[in-house]
Amino acid sequence: ELSEEQVLRRYRLDKEAIAALCRDLGADLESLTGRSHALPVAVKVTSALTFLATGSFQTATRQATGISQSAMSNCLAQFLEALQRRATRYITFPLHADAVGGDVPSAAAGTAAVTTAFPGVLGLVGAMHVALRAPSENEPAFRNAANFHSINMQLVCDAAGAITNVVAKFPGSCPNATVLENSALARLLEGARMEGAWLLGDRSYPLKPWLMTPIAVPRGAAELRYNALHGAAMAALRRTRALLRLRFRCLAKG
Protein backbone atom coordinates (compact mmCIF):
# COMPACT_ATOMS: atom_id res chain seq x y z
CA GLU A 1 0.00 0.00 0.00
CA LEU A 2 3.04 2.30 0.15
CA SER A 3 3.74 4.67 -2.70
CA GLU A 4 6.92 4.28 -4.74
CA GLU A 5 8.37 7.35 -3.04
CA GLN A 6 7.60 5.95 0.43
CA VAL A 7 9.18 2.61 -0.49
CA LEU A 8 12.37 4.32 -1.73
CA ARG A 9 12.60 6.43 1.41
CA ARG A 10 12.09 3.48 3.76
CA TYR A 11 14.00 0.69 2.00
CA ARG A 12 16.36 2.60 -0.37
CA LEU A 13 15.22 0.29 -3.20
CA ASP A 14 12.17 0.51 -5.45
CA LYS A 15 9.30 -1.98 -5.46
CA GLU A 16 10.62 -3.84 -8.50
CA ALA A 17 14.04 -4.36 -6.91
CA ILE A 18 12.50 -5.59 -3.65
CA ALA A 19 10.23 -8.02 -5.51
CA ALA A 20 13.27 -9.32 -7.40
CA LEU A 21 15.12 -9.89 -4.11
CA CYS A 22 12.14 -11.81 -2.73
CA ARG A 23 12.12 -14.06 -5.80
CA ASP A 24 15.89 -14.53 -5.81
CA LEU A 25 16.28 -15.24 -2.09
CA GLY A 26 12.95 -16.99 -1.63
CA ALA A 27 14.29 -20.54 -1.84
CA ASP A 28 16.68 -19.93 1.06
CA LEU A 29 14.34 -17.88 3.22
CA GLU A 30 11.32 -20.15 2.69
CA SER A 31 13.31 -23.18 3.83
CA LEU A 32 13.44 -21.55 7.26
CA THR A 33 9.70 -20.93 7.54
CA GLY A 34 8.43 -24.46 8.22
CA ARG A 35 7.91 -23.78 11.91
CA SER A 36 4.71 -22.27 13.26
CA HIS A 37 4.29 -18.48 13.19
CA ALA A 38 7.13 -18.18 10.69
CA LEU A 39 7.59 -14.85 8.91
CA PRO A 40 6.86 -14.60 5.17
CA VAL A 41 9.77 -14.03 2.79
CA ALA A 42 8.63 -10.48 1.97
CA VAL A 43 8.59 -9.55 5.66
CA LYS A 44 12.09 -10.92 6.16
CA VAL A 45 13.43 -9.06 3.12
CA THR A 46 11.82 -5.70 3.95
CA SER A 47 12.76 -5.98 7.64
CA ALA A 48 16.41 -6.57 6.73
CA LEU A 49 16.37 -3.73 4.18
CA THR A 50 14.96 -1.37 6.81
CA PHE A 51 17.89 -2.07 9.10
CA LEU A 52 20.42 -1.65 6.27
CA ALA A 53 18.79 1.63 5.28
CA THR A 54 18.69 3.06 8.81
CA GLY A 55 21.42 1.26 10.78
CA SER A 56 18.99 0.89 13.69
CA PHE A 57 17.27 -2.23 15.00
CA GLN A 58 14.81 0.01 16.85
CA THR A 59 13.73 1.80 13.67
CA ALA A 60 13.48 -1.46 11.74
CA THR A 61 11.43 -3.10 14.51
CA ARG A 62 9.12 -0.09 14.79
CA GLN A 63 8.41 -0.01 11.06
CA ALA A 64 7.89 -3.80 10.83
CA THR A 65 4.76 -4.08 12.99
CA GLY A 66 4.69 -7.01 15.39
CA ILE A 67 8.32 -8.10 14.99
CA SER A 68 10.51 -8.28 18.07
CA GLN A 69 14.13 -7.11 18.01
CA SER A 70 15.34 -10.73 18.29
CA ALA A 71 13.16 -11.70 15.30
CA MET A 72 14.49 -8.65 13.46
CA SER A 73 18.06 -9.80 14.15
CA ASN A 74 17.27 -13.28 12.82
CA CYS A 75 15.71 -11.81 9.68
CA LEU A 76 18.84 -9.77 9.03
CA ALA A 77 21.18 -12.74 9.54
CA GLN A 78 19.15 -14.99 7.24
CA PHE A 79 18.85 -12.29 4.58
CA LEU A 80 22.57 -11.48 4.58
CA GLU A 81 23.60 -15.15 4.44
CA ALA A 82 21.28 -15.77 1.49
CA LEU A 83 22.47 -12.62 -0.28
CA GLN A 84 26.14 -13.38 0.29
CA ARG A 85 25.77 -16.81 -1.29
CA ARG A 86 24.69 -15.03 -4.47
CA ALA A 87 27.21 -12.17 -4.33
CA THR A 88 29.19 -13.34 -7.36
CA ARG A 89 26.11 -12.89 -9.54
CA TYR A 90 26.26 -9.16 -8.92
CA ILE A 91 29.90 -8.39 -8.05
CA THR A 92 32.22 -9.55 -10.85
CA PHE A 93 35.68 -8.19 -11.57
CA PRO A 94 36.33 -7.54 -15.31
CA LEU A 95 39.23 -9.41 -16.84
CA HIS A 96 39.52 -7.48 -20.08
CA ALA A 97 40.96 -4.09 -20.90
CA ASP A 98 38.66 -1.07 -21.35
CA ALA A 99 36.07 -2.67 -19.06
CA VAL A 100 35.72 0.68 -17.28
CA GLY A 101 35.38 2.52 -20.54
CA GLY A 102 32.16 0.90 -21.72
CA ASP A 103 28.72 2.46 -21.98
CA VAL A 104 28.45 4.70 -18.92
CA PRO A 105 26.36 7.81 -18.19
CA SER A 106 27.99 10.86 -19.74
CA ALA A 107 27.20 12.92 -16.65
CA ALA A 108 29.03 10.58 -14.27
CA ALA A 109 31.90 12.38 -12.55
CA GLY A 110 35.26 10.99 -13.56
CA THR A 111 33.94 9.03 -16.55
CA ALA A 112 35.60 11.20 -19.17
CA ALA A 113 38.92 11.12 -17.33
CA VAL A 114 38.93 7.34 -17.03
CA THR A 115 37.88 6.56 -20.59
CA THR A 116 40.12 9.09 -22.37
CA ALA A 117 43.12 9.74 -20.14
CA PHE A 118 43.39 6.18 -18.81
CA PRO A 119 42.35 3.65 -21.48
CA GLY A 120 42.64 0.07 -20.27
CA VAL A 121 41.79 0.83 -16.65
CA LEU A 122 39.94 -2.11 -15.07
CA GLY A 123 38.74 -0.24 -11.99
CA LEU A 124 39.32 2.28 -9.22
CA VAL A 125 40.49 0.86 -5.87
CA GLY A 126 40.14 2.49 -2.47
CA ALA A 127 39.25 1.92 1.18
CA MET A 128 36.07 2.52 3.13
CA HIS A 129 35.98 2.19 6.92
CA VAL A 130 32.76 0.62 8.22
CA ALA A 131 32.26 1.34 11.91
CA LEU A 132 31.45 -1.43 14.40
CA ARG A 133 31.19 -1.86 18.13
CA ALA A 134 34.45 -2.58 19.96
CA PRO A 135 35.02 -6.35 19.70
CA SER A 136 35.79 -8.33 22.84
CA GLU A 137 38.81 -9.99 21.20
CA ASN A 138 41.77 -8.15 19.68
CA GLU A 139 40.09 -4.79 20.25
CA PRO A 140 43.17 -2.59 19.47
CA ALA A 141 43.48 -4.07 15.97
CA PHE A 142 40.06 -2.69 15.03
CA ARG A 143 40.78 0.88 16.16
CA ASN A 144 41.66 2.90 13.07
CA ALA A 145 43.63 6.11 12.58
CA ALA A 146 40.47 8.18 13.17
CA ASN A 147 40.18 6.54 16.61
CA PHE A 148 37.01 4.50 16.12
CA HIS A 149 36.55 0.75 15.62
CA SER A 150 36.00 -0.40 12.08
CA ILE A 151 36.50 -2.89 9.29
CA ASN A 152 38.82 -1.56 6.58
CA MET A 153 36.80 -2.50 3.51
CA GLN A 154 38.53 -2.51 0.13
CA LEU A 155 36.29 -1.43 -2.71
CA VAL A 156 36.77 -1.47 -6.48
CA CYS A 157 34.32 0.21 -8.85
CA ASP A 158 34.19 1.27 -12.48
CA ALA A 159 33.63 4.78 -13.83
CA ALA A 160 29.85 4.34 -13.66
CA GLY A 161 29.99 3.38 -9.97
CA ALA A 162 29.32 -0.34 -10.45
CA ILE A 163 31.11 -2.25 -7.67
CA THR A 164 33.28 -5.02 -9.10
CA ASN A 165 35.27 -6.24 -6.09
CA VAL A 166 34.95 -6.09 -2.29
CA VAL A 167 37.25 -7.29 0.52
CA ALA A 168 35.63 -6.85 3.94
CA LYS A 169 37.58 -8.90 6.46
CA PHE A 170 40.52 -6.80 7.65
CA PRO A 171 40.45 -4.77 10.91
CA GLY A 172 40.48 -0.98 10.88
CA SER A 173 44.14 -0.63 11.86
CA CYS A 174 45.26 -2.58 8.78
CA PRO A 175 46.83 -0.25 6.15
CA ASN A 176 45.14 -0.03 2.77
CA ALA A 177 48.23 -1.35 1.01
CA THR A 178 48.31 -4.43 3.27
CA VAL A 179 44.65 -5.19 2.54
CA LEU A 180 45.32 -5.05 -1.20
CA GLU A 181 48.56 -7.04 -0.96
CA ASN A 182 46.78 -9.87 0.87
CA SER A 183 43.69 -9.95 -1.34
CA ALA A 184 42.79 -12.40 -4.08
CA LEU A 185 42.55 -9.41 -6.42
CA ALA A 186 46.27 -8.67 -6.07
CA ARG A 187 47.14 -12.32 -6.72
CA LEU A 188 44.92 -12.28 -9.80
CA LEU A 189 46.50 -9.15 -11.24
CA GLU A 190 50.03 -10.30 -10.42
CA GLY A 191 49.46 -13.54 -12.28
CA ALA A 192 47.02 -13.13 -15.15
CA ARG A 193 46.86 -9.41 -15.90
CA MET A 194 46.38 -8.50 -19.52
CA GLU A 195 49.03 -6.29 -21.03
CA GLY A 196 47.91 -2.68 -20.94
CA ALA A 197 45.34 -3.10 -18.15
CA TRP A 198 45.54 -1.33 -14.78
CA LEU A 199 43.83 -0.25 -11.61
CA LEU A 200 43.92 3.32 -10.34
CA GLY A 201 44.55 3.89 -6.63
CA ASP A 202 45.24 6.80 -4.28
CA ARG A 203 48.43 7.70 -2.37
CA SER A 204 47.82 5.03 0.28
CA TYR A 205 48.88 2.35 -2.23
CA PRO A 206 52.32 1.65 -3.70
CA LEU A 207 52.99 1.96 -7.41
CA LYS A 208 52.84 -1.43 -9.14
CA PRO A 209 52.98 -2.65 -12.75
CA TRP A 210 49.18 -3.02 -12.57
CA LEU A 211 48.39 -0.11 -10.19
CA MET A 212 48.72 3.56 -11.17
CA THR A 213 49.00 5.99 -8.25
CA PRO A 214 49.56 9.77 -8.03
CA ILE A 215 53.10 11.10 -8.36
CA ALA A 216 54.20 12.16 -4.86
CA VAL A 217 56.39 15.09 -5.98
CA PRO A 218 55.31 16.06 -9.50
CA ARG A 219 57.85 17.88 -11.62
CA GLY A 220 56.85 19.70 -14.75
CA ALA A 221 53.58 20.22 -16.59
CA ALA A 222 53.20 16.59 -17.72
CA GLU A 223 53.35 15.15 -14.20
CA LEU A 224 51.05 17.85 -12.85
CA ARG A 225 48.55 17.07 -15.61
CA TYR A 226 48.82 13.34 -14.86
CA ASN A 227 47.99 13.96 -11.18
CA ALA A 228 45.07 16.22 -12.10
CA LEU A 229 43.60 13.63 -14.47
CA HIS A 230 44.21 10.85 -11.94
CA GLY A 231 42.35 12.81 -9.26
CA ALA A 232 39.44 13.49 -11.63
CA ALA A 233 39.20 9.80 -12.51
CA MET A 234 39.15 8.78 -8.84
CA ALA A 235 36.10 11.01 -8.29
CA ALA A 236 33.91 8.09 -9.43
CA LEU A 237 35.13 6.02 -6.46
CA ARG A 238 34.59 8.88 -4.01
CA ARG A 239 31.07 9.31 -5.33
CA THR A 240 30.37 5.58 -5.05
CA ARG A 241 31.47 5.48 -1.40
CA ALA A 242 29.34 8.51 -0.58
CA LEU A 243 26.28 6.99 -2.26
CA LEU A 244 26.75 3.73 -0.38
CA ARG A 245 26.73 5.55 2.95
CA LEU A 246 23.72 7.62 1.94
CA ARG A 247 21.70 4.67 0.69
CA PHE A 248 22.61 2.21 3.45
CA ARG A 249 23.02 4.14 6.69
CA CYS A 250 24.32 1.02 8.46
CA LEU A 251 27.64 1.80 6.71
CA ALA A 252 27.86 5.33 8.09
CA LYS A 253 29.84 5.98 11.28
CA GLY A 254 26.91 7.50 13.17
Side-chain angles (χ1 to χ4, degrees), residues 69-105:
Q69 186 164 323
S70 61
M72 177 66 238
S73 180
N74 289 334
C75 286
L76 180 63
Q78 293 168 14
F79 173 85
L80 292 178
E81 288 171 5
L83 194 64
Q84 189 172 3
R85 282 193 284 270
R86 295 162 174 79
T88 53
R89 297 185 190 178
Y90 307 101
I91 304 175
T92 303
F93 187 74
L95 293 177
H96 58 279
D98 294 321
V100 173
D103 295 329
V104 295

Side-chain angles (χ1 to χ4, degrees), residues 177-201:
T178 302
V179 176
L180 178 60
E181 191 68 29
N182 289 278
S183 69
L185 179 62
R187 294 191 293 272
L188 172 69
L189 293 173
E190 291 282 2
R193 182 181 68 89
M194 288 184 60
E195 191 67 29
W198 300 274
L199 292 179
L200 297 186

Side-chain angles (χ1 to χ4, degrees), residues 22 25-26 29-48 65 67 75 78-79:
C22 290
L25 308 183
L29 300 182
E30 284 174 354
S31 66
L32 300 167
T33 61
R35 62 185 71 90
S36 60
H37 307 295
L39 297 173
V41 169
V43 173
K44 291 184 176 183
V45 170
T46 53
S47 297
T65 306
I67 298 181
C75 286
Q78 293 168 14
F79 173 85

Side-chain angles (χ1 to χ4, degrees), residues 85-161:
R85 282 193 284 270
R86 295 162 174 79
T88 53
R89 297 185 190 178
Y90 307 101
I91 304 175
T92 303
F93 187 74
L95 293 177
H96 58 279
D98 294 321
V100 173
D103 295 329
V104 295
S106 59
T111 297
V114 174
T115 56
T116 58
F118 298 99
V121 168
L122 295 175
L124 314 169
V125 60
M128 177 175 169
H129 283 266
V130 179
L132 45 77
R133 292 186 179 182
S136 57
E137 296 184 7
N138 201 18
E139 177 270 337
F142 288 87
R143 188 177 292 278
N144 60 32
N147 202 32
F148 66 91
H149 297 90
S150 69
I151 292 288
N152 187 0
M153 183 175 74
Q154 179 176 288
L155 192 69
V156 179
C157 74
D158 64 16

Side-chain angles (χ1 to χ4, degrees), residues 131 138 157 164 167 224:
N138 201 18
C157 74
T164 59
V167 180
L224 287 169

